[in-house]
Structures are given as structure tokens and as C-alpha cells.
Amino acid sequence: QVQLVESGGGLVQAGGSLRLSCAASGRSFTSYAMGWFRQAPGKEREFVAAISRSGGSTYYADSVKGRFTISKDNARNTMYLQMNSLKPEDTATYYCAARNGIPLAVVAEYDYWGQGTQVTVSS
């Protein structure tokens, strides 16, 4: 098993930046592909970005491509999401997740989840 804890959320103006972190503990970090998802009030949880176990392959939702960057530091057991050019529509609770196998964009395919961190982008 792996335990995940997100941090780095907050309130930022449109056009600003934030970096989210996801610290993992438990089973070896390199055993898992990982992803970031988000959920706005009244909406379903949606895929944001994913990264392979080695960190060598990354995938993004079209809505964040070119603005967000996912990365993984296996030595520190930490995953990051650098968010630039933030928009009000990026406002949501952001969750990190882990799964055995390849990274996927499907919520139900992830086995482990953090508690979430709130990101609010003001216009």
C-alpha cells in the first residue's frame, strides 16, 4: 500500500502559478504510476495529468496542456504539479492518485488517493 498527502493549494489570481506536491509513504514509490485529478463543486472528478513509474512518460488533459507540468522525484517519493497561467475554471479540489501498472486517465483505475488540496483561482 501507499499513503498519499497533497499540499500546495491556495488562492491565486488568474494568470498566476501554484505548485502542488504529493508526498508518498509506504510501498516503493517507483512501483506506481501516478496521476492528478480534480473535482469542482457539483461536477465529477476529472483527469488532469498522469506520469509513468519512471517519470519518463507524461500525459495531460487537453484543458491543461501547455500550462501544467507533472513531474516525479523518485528519490524524494514526491510527485508535483506545476500549474501556470491559471484560470478561474481551474478552481477545484486537486487529488493525487497512484496505481500499479501504466498511467491512465480513468478515475476508477486508481487504487490509492490523497485527501485533496483546494485550489481557488480568482478572476
Side-chain angles (χ1 to χ4, degrees):
Q1 279 199 339
V2 63
Q3 292 77 44
L4 304 173
V5 178
E6 303 96 335
S7 61
L11 173 64
V12 63
Q13 288 188 332
S17 298
L18 282 175
R19 188 176 80 156
L20 305 184
S21 298
C22 174
S25 61
R27 190 179 166 193
S28 174
F29 192 59
T30 56
S31 299
Y32 299 96
M34 300 189 70
W36 286 100
F37 294 79
R38 65 187 182 187
Q39 188 167 18
K43 295 188 176 182
E44 293 187 352
R45 194 168 297 188
E46 65 175 9
F47 170 73
V48 175
I51 191 165
S52 62
R53 288 179 291 180
S54 67
S57 298
T58 57
Y59 309 88
Y60 296 93
D62 288 343
S63 60
V64 306
K65 202 172 292 183
R67 300 188 298 123
F68 291 11
T69 302
I70 188 172
S71 61
K72 192 171 184 260
D73 186 339
N74 286 333
R76 295 178 182 271
N77 287 0
T78 304
M79 177 177 68
Y80 304 98
L81 185 67
Q82 177 66 43
M83 305 186 295
N84 298 330
S85 302
L86 282 161
K87 305 175 182 180
E89 51 263 45
D90 295 318
T91 295
T93 300
Y94 283 71
Y95 298 89
C96 69
R99 69 180 306 274
N100 292 294
I102 62 174
L104 296 174
V106 180
V107 171
E109 293 291 342
Y110 283 78
D111 303 304
Y112 306 102
W113 292 85
Q115 82 290 348
T117 186
Q118 178 67 36
V119 172
T120 303
V121 184
S122 63
S123 56

